[in-house]
Amino acid sequence: MTLKPGEVKTIAHLARIGLEESEVEPLAKELSTVLDLVAKLAAIDTSHVEPMAHPANTELRLRDDVVTESDQRDVLQAPAPAIEDGYFLVPRVIE
């Protein structure tokens, strides 16, 4: 599939990509090459090929949810200028 420069400009506009006029022709050739490769791959019959991996066949290895550190909130909040009910108080930035 060969893309024309006008089609490349339209695609660039839709993707909100700024292109210089000197970039349009080389990009049209590169995109045409990619589309030709995709067309070749789509033409290959893969119905007899078994998938090598599939995300539905995986199992997540989960670790036990255990506490590994002690509560240090008071120590960590000690240098804070203001805290209330265990939360850091900060100046309001949105009215």
Side-chain angles (χ1 to χ4, degrees):
M1 173 180 208
T2 304
L3 288 176
K4 297 179 178 92
E7 294 171 322
V8 173
K9 288 179 185 177
T10 302
I11 293 168
H13 173 73
L14 293 172
R16 303 296 189 255
I17 298 172
L19 289 179
E20 299 292 328
E21 194 62 38
S22 62
E23 297 174 308
V24 173
E25 189 64 35
L27 186 58
K29 289 179 183 177
E30 288 179 28
L31 288 174
S32 296
T33 303
V34 170
L35 291 174
D36 289 339
L37 177 61
V38 170
K40 287 179 184 177
L41 290 174
I44 297 171
D45 178 25
T46 59
S47 61
H48 62 282
V49 177
E50 288 290 323
M52 293 178 64
H54 194 276
N57 299 334
T58 61
E59 288 185 31
L60 295 177
R61 294 183 207 132
L62 301 177
R63 61 177 169 77
D64 292 334
D65 190 14
V66 295
V67 177
T68 58
E69 296 182 18
S70 61
D71 180 17
Q72 298 180 19
R73 178 174 39 182
D74 295 333
V75 174
L76 296 172
Q77 287 183 338
I83 57 170
E84 182 178 307
D85 297 327
Y87 297 103
F88 292 96
L89 296 179
V90 296
R92 182 180 212 135
V93 292
I94 299 175
E95 298 296 326

